């Protein structure tokens, strides 16, 4: 296949009203331009080239390995393509041009567009779709059923404005013809820009074959120019993602109220309740229950896990664990099988071995807790002295009484018992009882 893609991403995106370059705004967790690049990388092109300009360093941080050319001044989409002249001048194939702000395009659509372009032996093929309200898009102007040009909103007469077939901003061009036509575009229009779309009329005047490839699903070509369109794109993408999960056997109570990023994987028969937020590199096993107000990011969660109203970050949760309500797993925590952490329990960089229970109001940081140990309500590992962090290790089958302060570094032996309300500063040997609190005093009849 002799195909290159060119992705226009140099514009500022003024209508977005943002410090962030438009193409870096995220749709379901993925920056728009990255999404387009990912799609382009699956269609068999030999090279994918980005056109960068406004805040190019920021875009390159997201896509450090991309081929790119710079458009110093953003003088229009046609001007942007001209910047890639060097990369195209000896190329005798097809250039697919896309905009960095149409993240919903599917791989299949791009392949179909290319196939259609080849099949019809056109010089130029435009991807189009129909919008009931086509405001803002370039209109496809036809005569006797043939494309004769694209007219931008700003230059459109009332008659042209009534045309509902719009330019998706995606095209296949034969490289040689494209460069020849680009030499002849100018900026004598309302915006004073060099429009890529003017190439079409030049092709037609040259007597070349121009085709329009009409796409049924107009959602796919949505161009994101504003925060309103960004929200629209997020909703469409969210729906696509959630439907894919349902096809794979995941259960949603209300698919509209669940936000799941593209990268997340979920096993079958897991139920996701309204208000769940699943992000990043998260993998969730089968048969889990993810209840409302739960946020899980970059976690690996096993099977039969139940999480209620909790936040889980960069952690591993094994099978049959129960979490919450109102628990917080901070990075590098590892809850092994059948662990339970309950109300207001925070765990950071700690390993809780199989069957550990910490039901209430507890902080476990930099700790290793042995199998089946019970952590009483209000237990705190005092891991920080203001400068350094220290470790707490607790053996298996231990019982830490309520309201215990474990002042790290400290070790509690296997099967040891710590009395409620203790402040533990010295190691407790296995099987021992440690109590460290002032003795209770009784003064009879004191209140009389
Ligand atoms: C463009 C099309 C319009 C089409 C619509 C589809 C032109 C003149 N118009 O309009 O027909 O219906 O897309 O979404 O092409 N860019 C640069 N350099 C520039 C200007 C823009 O790289 O100098 C990039 C932008 O970063 C963006 C893309 O090109 O990713 C499109 O630019 P934008 O200003 O959004 O064009 P539209 O007005 O939406
Ligand atoms: Ca646009």
């Amino acid at each position: 296949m002799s195909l290159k893609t060119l992705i226009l991403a140099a514009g500022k995106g003024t209508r977005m009203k943002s410090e962030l370059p438009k193409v870096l705004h995220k749709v379901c967790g993925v920056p728009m331009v990255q999404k387009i690049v990912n799609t382009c990388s699956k269609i068999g092109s030999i090279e994918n080239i980005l056109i960068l300009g406004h805040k190019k360093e920021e875009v390159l941080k997201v896509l450090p390995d991309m081929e790119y050319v710079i458009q110093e001044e953003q003088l229009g989409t046609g001007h942007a393509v001209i910047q890639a002249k060097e990369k195209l001048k000896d190329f005798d194939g097809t250039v697919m041009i896309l905009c960095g702000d149409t993240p919903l395009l599917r791989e299949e659509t791009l392949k179909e567009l290319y196939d259609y372009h080849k099949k019809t032996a056109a010089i130029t093929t435009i991807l189009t779709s129909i919008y009931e309200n086509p405001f803002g898009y370039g209109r496809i102007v036809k005569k006797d059923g043939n494309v004769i040009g694209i007219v931008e909103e700003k230059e459109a007469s009332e008659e042209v404005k009534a045309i509902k077939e719009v330019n998706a901003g995606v095209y296949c061009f034969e490289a040689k013809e494209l460069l020849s036509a680009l030499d002849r575009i100018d900026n004598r229009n309302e915006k004073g820009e060099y429009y890529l779309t003017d190439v079409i009329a030049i092709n037609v005047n040259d007597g070349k074959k121009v085709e329009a490839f009409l796409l049924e699903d107009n959602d796919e070509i949505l161009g994101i120019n504003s925060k309103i369109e960004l929200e629209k794109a997020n909703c469409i993408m969210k729906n696509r993602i959630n439907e894919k999960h349902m096809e794979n056997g995941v259960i949603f109570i209300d698919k509209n109220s669940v936000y799941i990023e593209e990268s997340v994987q979920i096993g079958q028969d897991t139920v996701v309740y309204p208000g769940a937020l699943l992000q990043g590199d998260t993998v969730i096993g089968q048969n889990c229950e993810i209840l409302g107000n739960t946020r899980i990011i970059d976690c690996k969660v096993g099977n039969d896990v139940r999480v209620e109203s909790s936040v889980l970050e960069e952690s591993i949760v094994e099978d049959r664990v129960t979490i919450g309500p109102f628990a917080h797993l901070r990075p590098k925590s590892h809850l092994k099988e059948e662990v339970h952490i309950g109300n207001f329990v925070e765990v950071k960089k700690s390993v809780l071995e199989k069957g550990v229970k910490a039901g209430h109001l507890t902080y476990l940081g930099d700790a290793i807790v042995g199998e089946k140990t019970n952590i009483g309500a209000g237990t705190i590992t005092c891991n920080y002295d203001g400068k350094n962090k220290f470790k707490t290790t607790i053996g298996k089958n231990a019982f830490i009484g309520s309201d215990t302060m474990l002042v790290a570094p400290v070790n509690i032996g296997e099967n040891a018992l710590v009395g409620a309300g203790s402040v533990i500063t010295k190691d407790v040997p296995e099987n021992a009882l440690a109590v460290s609190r002032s003795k209770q005093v009784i003064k009879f009849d004191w209140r009389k």
Side-chain angles (χ1 to χ4, degrees), residues 8 10-11 15 22 71 74-77 100-101 138 152 167 195 225:
L8 310 187
R15 289 166 280 177
K22 174 168 77 171
Q71 182 192 24
Q74 283 75 60
L75 303 179
T77 48
D101 65 349
E152 293 302 304
N167 169 26
Y195 291 163
N225 302 302

Side-chain angles (χ1 to χ4, degrees), residues 169-184:
V170 182
Y171 327 75
C172 283
F173 292 103
E174 287 311 293
K176 293 253 174 314
E177 301 293 343
L178 171 66
L179 293 182
S180 144
L182 280 173
D183 279 342
R184 290 175 275 159

Side-chain angles (χ1 to χ4, degrees), residues 112-362:
E112 283 165 21
L113 171 70
Y114 179 72
D115 289 346
Y116 185 80
H117 177 74
K118 282 286 163 200
K119 196 182 76 193
T120 58
I123 285 302
T124 298
T125 305
I126 311 155
L127 183 69
T128 71
S129 200
I130 307 284
Y131 275 126
E132 268 318 301
N133 174 13
F135 180 83
Y137 289 89
R139 308 297 205 284
I140 305 298
V141 182
K142 287 182 174 168
K143 196 177 163 194
D144 306 325
N146 299 316
V147 179
I148 56 165
I150 299 177
V151 177
E152 293 302 304
E153 180 76 36
K154 283 237 159 94
E155 284 79 36
S157 62
E158 286 310 312
E159 197 188 340
V160 168
K161 278 184 184 161
I163 298 174
K164 290 178 177 162
E165 184 174 6
V166 303
N167 169 26
V170 182
Y171 327 75
C172 283
F173 292 103
E174 287 311 293
K176 293 253 174 314
E177 301 293 343
L178 171 66
L179 293 182
S180 144
L182 280 173
D183 279 342
R184 290 175 275 159
I185 62 171
D186 60 47
N187 63 352
R188 289 191 296 263
N189 51 47
E190 286 295 317
K191 277 176 127 178
E193 288 187 356
Y194 294 88
Y195 291 163
L196 176 61
T197 44
D198 285 352
V199 163
I200 310 303
I202 295 173
N203 284 162
V204 173
N205 282 334
D206 285 351
K208 307 288 181 193
K209 190 172 160 75
V210 176
E211 286 283 339
F213 179 71
L214 183 78
L215 186 65
E216 283 284 321
D217 176 10
N218 61 16
D219 277 352
E220 257 191 72
I221 68 152
L222 184 71
I224 317 301
N225 302 302
S226 67
K227 299 258 167 76
I228 289 181
E229 285 161 342
L230 182 65
E231 189 267 352
K232 225 185 240 174
N234 266 300
C235 287
I236 294 169
M237 189 59 111
K238 179 184 77 181
N239 206 39
R240 265 193 210 172
I241 291 172
N242 294 354
E243 283 183 357
K244 183 200 77 189
H245 286 299
M246 287 187 274
E247 277 165 13
N248 291 341
V250 179
I251 301 166
F252 291 97
I253 306 301
D254 170 8
K255 67 169 177 156
N256 294 321
S257 64
V258 176
Y259 173 81
I260 302 177
E261 290 179 353
E262 223 188 336
S263 42
V264 174
Q265 297 171 40
I266 311 175
Q268 69 180 35
D269 290 325
T270 284
V271 188
V272 184
Y273 284 80
L277 186 62
L278 310 177
Q279 298 177 280
D281 274 330
T282 291
V283 180
I284 296 175
Q286 301 186 354
N287 246 343
C288 295
E289 278 185 291
I290 310 297
L291 288 106
N293 300 322
T294 289
R295 174 170 179 251
I296 304 181
I297 179 162
D298 298 329
C299 287
K300 188 158 171 16
V301 176
N303 300 325
D304 303 293
V305 170
R306 182 185 156 92
V307 186
E308 179 164 10
S309 301
S310 295
V311 177
L312 280 53
E313 305 169 83
E314 293 171 46
S315 290
I316 300 172
V317 173
E318 294 193 14
D319 297 351
R320 298 181 299 285
V321 164
T322 51
I323 298 177
F326 318 119
H328 186 184
L329 277 192
R330 287 171 52 208
K332 298 201 176 125
S333 296
H334 186 163
L335 308 192
K336 297 204 178 164
E337 289 169 39
E338 289 158 33
V339 162
H340 167 66
I341 61 168
N343 309 263
F344 308 105
V345 172
E346 175 180 341
V347 180
K348 187 219 81 175
K349 211 177 177 181
S350 293
V351 180
L352 276 54
E353 295 288 348
K354 185 173 175 180
V356 166
K357 291 196 170 28
H360 340 261
L361 301 155
T362 287

